[in-house]
Amino acid sequence: MAEFTDTFQQRHAFAAFLQETWREGKEVLPCDGGCVLIGVGPDVQTGRGSKGVAIVLSSSAAAAWRAAGAVVHDGFGSRVLAVPLAVKDPLSGSRLGVLLVSAYAPVSTADSEVWDAYYDALSRAIAAAPAGATIVVGTDANA
């Protein structure tokens, strides 16, 4: 994780979307330099592991997340996660809402029930956006 956060900070990234994290459960982990990793995965990984998504926030994105109430929308299963941010427009000074969504689609050969559950979770995450918010989705679409 240290190598990732070092590169993340060197490139001055604001946020990163991670899929197939192989991590278990729900977590909010502080990282070096003020970054925060917010993730969700299956309760237990077996074998090689699968599923799991995360969003890594830079220190400024983490501040925007805290300004929005530090809410984590993680009740969509282990394939979809969303976090709202409250960012300040540098020109007008007004507060802008942003919803970051990390998603990991099933493989193309998955049953239609698995795909339906994924699309339902993704739709519910997007619906969690505050009115007027900009929605940014980072996904592994398995296309």
Side-chain angles (χ1 to χ4, degrees), residues 13-74:
F14 184 72
F17 303 92
L18 309 178
Q19 293 82 30
E20 200 168 356
T21 62
W22 301 4
R23 300 181 66 86
E24 295 178 345
K26 298 174 182 181
E27 55 190 349
V28 176
L29 301 173
C31 307
D32 292 338
C35 295
V36 176
L37 179 140
I38 302 167
V40 63
D43 291 334
V44 177
Q45 290 281 10
T46 55
R48 177 179 151 245
S50 66
K51 302 181 190 169
V53 293
I55 298 172
V56 179
L57 303 174
S58 66
S59 59
S60 59
W65 171 62
R66 287 189 287 279
V71 174
V72 177
H73 298 289
D74 57 10

Side-chain angles (χ1 to χ4, degrees), residues 1-22:
M1 189 64 184
E3 184 178 344
F4 173 82
T5 56
D6 286 346
T7 302
F8 180 78
Q9 291 170 345
Q10 288 170 3
R11 295 182 181 269
H12 305 285
F14 184 72
F17 303 92
L18 309 178
Q19 293 82 30
E20 200 168 356
T21 62
W22 301 4

Side-chain angles (χ1 to χ4, degrees), residues 28-127:
V28 176
L29 301 173
C31 307
D32 292 338
C35 295
V36 176
L37 179 140
I38 302 167
V40 63
D43 291 334
V44 177
Q45 290 281 10
T46 55
R48 177 179 151 245
S50 66
K51 302 181 190 169
V53 293
I55 298 172
V56 179
L57 303 174
S58 66
S59 59
S60 59
W65 171 62
R66 287 189 287 279
V71 174
V72 177
H73 298 289
D74 57 10
F76 310 115
S78 60
R79 291 187 177 275
V80 178
L81 171 72
V83 295
L85 308 179
V87 298
K88 190 175 193 178
D89 183 325
L91 298 177
S92 69
S94 63
R95 182 176 157 157
L96 305 172
V98 176
L99 183 73
L100 302 180
V101 180
S102 183
Y104 175 45
V107 295
S108 60
T109 57
D111 293 337
S112 62
E113 295 83 19
V114 175
W115 275 98
D116 290 346
Y118 165 73
Y119 285 128
D120 177 63
L122 184 58
S123 295
R124 288 186 292 127
I126 291 169

